[in-house]
Amino acid sequence: MILVTGGAGFIGSNFILDWLSHNDEPVLNLDALTYAGNLHNLASLKGDPRYTFVHGNIADASLVAGLLSRHAPTAIINFAAESHVDRSIHGPEDFIQTNILGTFRLLEAARAYWSSLPKGNAFRFLHISTDEVFGTLSPADPAFDEQTPYQPNSPYSASKAASDHLVRAYHHTYGMPVLTTNCSNNYGPYHFPEKLIPLVIHNALQGRPLPIYGDGQQIRDWLYVRDHCNAVRRVLEAGEPGQTYNIGGLNERTNLEVVTLLCDILDERRPKADGTSYSHQITYVTDRPGHDRRYAIDARKIQEQLGWRPAETFDSGIRKTVEWYLENQAWVKDVTSGNYRHWIEKQYA
Ligand code: NAD
Ligand code: TYD
């Protein structure tokens, strides 16, 4: 059994689906079901004896201790987090609570559990982090590698950086078998429509403005979410405890390029009745405060040491993603209309 935290979110749910399609080791999913957690992402696992869901918070020390002693997982994979930069600018508190305090409590519970295991028992704590901890790059700077100093610029990235430091310290001080991955921007199915790619697809189809922050020349290194899941499985299987691994898409694009490409694909796949292009909906809006200009990952370590490479190109991944959103408009409607929140409130009243 592995314990996945935050498994009802975007990457966590893709990871659980990917994991169970590759092997039969059961998954225990611990998720607090914040606005970003969606159990419908895992509806296909209904009745699957390999999957168990627990509604709860990673900061709940006694709940986590009980789960660890009852289920004796071989690994903890910590996806649980507050993940949206804009939300962290408007209200950083939840980011501090979950990303820092939550990770700390989870580490403490994991340490007690790991210390109680008989010598030789396999156990790993894999912490999922972001490239945003490294700060921002100028156009000519080399991409972030594992030695790049941390220079987080937003409350989100600062809270993730703090959690990464705690994870590192648990290896250095206690010898805990921890691993950390720092990944670039993901995209793909089940992405909550507050982030750039799903927001643009959703707004385009709704006839709403497609907001571009500032000049739209900020660069992100986009990775298809299933490629990230693959990398996480590989690190869990063959990564060296105490090490960190950068994961990236080898795919730097400006935001304007991404939005224009989405409009082109939608023009082809779902042409507008009036014959105009979705790109006419592009609207320049005030820039995000402290907006990082460029992220890029040097993924040579994971490529050379663990043999991982992304399988999707941006063109193939983005087309799959657009198809998924076109085919799953009910999912989008559910999360954007509040229906899903109502269901959760009733279910867990
Ligand atoms: P998400 O916001 O979609 O999902 C987060 C999940 O964590 C949700 O299901 C939420 O309910 C759950 N959660 C939040 N607080 C919790 C708590 N206190 N206890 C238990 N569960 C809690 O996020 P995501 O995009 O899937 O990101 C997952 C992880 O990957 C995060 O740690 C994020 O920092 C990291 N990451 C994300 C990206 C990206 O592009 N989305 C890139 C690199 C790294
Ligand atoms: P986002 O998906 O929020 O991811 P992150 O901030 O973690 O990189 O944003 C990706 C990029 O797109 C980022 O440079 C901000 C920009 N952006 C817009 O221009 N408009 C939008 O409406 C959003 C949500 C993001």
Side-chain angles (χ1 to χ4, degrees):
M1 156 101 48
I2 58 167
L3 170 61
V4 171
T5 72
F10 163 49
I11 306 176
S13 58
N14 275 287
F15 178 79
I16 291 174
L17 295 171
D18 182 70
W19 176 268
L20 291 174
S21 73
H22 281 91
N23 74 67
D24 285 330
E25 184 168 4
V27 175
L28 180 65
N29 174 14
L30 171 65
D31 196 296
L33 299 181
T34 68
Y35 79 94
N38 191 337
L39 290 179
H40 294 167
N41 301 2
L42 296 159
S44 62
L45 298 177
K46 196 164 192 278
D48 190 325
R50 301 172 303 167
Y51 172 70
T52 308
F53 173 68
V54 175
H55 182 215
N57 197 311
I58 55 165
D60 183 340
S62 61
L63 170 73
V64 176
L67 291 175
L68 294 178
S69 73
R70 234 179 357 270
H71 296 278
T74 55
I76 297 175
I77 303 147
N78 183 31
F79 291 94
E82 289 293 336
S83 69
H84 190 36
V85 174
D86 293 327
R87 284 182 188 254
S88 82
I89 294 169
H90 294 295
E93 174 77 27
D94 288 348
F95 291 73
I96 307 307
Q97 290 300 333
T98 286
N99 300 359
I100 305 181
L101 192 63
T103 302
F104 162 69
R105 294 250 174 84
L106 188 65
L107 279 167
E108 274 295 89
R111 181 164 76 90
Y113 164 69
W114 166 69
S115 311
S116 75
L117 291 174
K119 282 268 161 302
N121 262 39
F123 175 71
R124 282 170 172 222
F125 185 104
L126 201 173
H127 179 62
I128 306 297
S129 192
T130 166
D131 60 357
E132 305 196 20
V133 296
F134 299 118
T136 187
L137 293 169
S138 295
D141 286 341
F144 304 129
D145 65 21
E146 288 77 3
Q147 269 67 53
T148 304
Y150 274 32
Q151 218 161 36
N153 287 321
S154 70
Y156 164 65
S157 54
S159 67
K160 290 296 292 187
S163 66
D164 293 9
H165 289 319
L166 284 168
V167 170
R168 182 183 176 282
Y170 273 62
H171 179 74
H172 190 84
T173 304
Y174 305 113
M176 220 168 98
V178 305
L179 297 147
T180 298
T181 53
N182 294 90
C183 189
S184 61
N185 286 60
N186 285 213
Y187 67 97
Y190 306 113
H191 206 181
F192 195 84
E194 65 182 354
K195 306 274 170 73
L196 180 70
I197 288 179
L199 179 114
V200 163
I201 299 171
H202 178 59
N203 281 14
L205 296 172
Q206 297 294 309
R208 296 200 195 124
L210 311 180
I212 304 263
Y213 298 167
D215 63 4
Q217 295 306 310
Q218 303 84 2
I219 292 173
R220 298 292 182 265
D221 176 357
W222 294 96
L223 179 69
Y224 190 65
V225 63
R226 281 286 175 124
D227 278 324
H228 185 190
C229 297
N230 239 309
V232 171
R233 272 194 293 108
R234 188 69 195 126
V235 170
L236 196 60
E237 178 181 73
E240 195 186 318
Q243 292 291 310
T244 70
Y245 296 88
N246 283 5
I247 305 169
L250 312 169
N251 175 48
E252 290 182 55
R253 307 270 165 158
T254 66
N255 292 340
L256 192 57
E257 278 170 350
V258 170
V259 174
T260 306
L261 178 60
L262 287 170
C263 291
D264 291 347
I265 299 172
L266 286 169
D267 285 341
E268 178 193 313
R269 294 289 298 112
R270 192 60 58 90
K272 290 216 284 189
D274 65 6
T276 62
S277 167
Y278 289 101
S279 60
H280 294 150
Q281 290 166 228
I282 289 177
T283 310
Y284 289 87
V285 300
T286 308
D287 206 355
R288 169 189 283 172
H291 199 167
D292 285 339
R293 201 66 188 163
R294 173 177 169 236
Y295 303 141
I297 284 276
D298 177 343
R300 272 178 296 182
K301 180 175 174 183
I302 189 169
Q303 284 176 4
E304 286 164 14
Q305 296 187 6
L306 305 183
W308 174 87
R309 284 188 73 84
E312 296 291 342
T313 63
F314 191 55
D315 195 56
S316 64
I318 202 79
R319 281 177 181 277
K320 276 190 188 173
T321 303
V322 172
E323 285 312 317
W324 188 87
Y325 279 91
L326 290 174
E327 282 163 18
N328 289 276
Q329 282 296 297
W331 180 92
V332 178
K333 198 164 167 220
D334 217 45
V335 294
T336 51
S337 69
N339 275 353
Y340 176 70
R341 285 315 321 161
H342 293 148
W343 177 77
I344 287 291
E345 277 151 27
K346 263 201 257 153
Q347 179 85 352
Y348 294 102

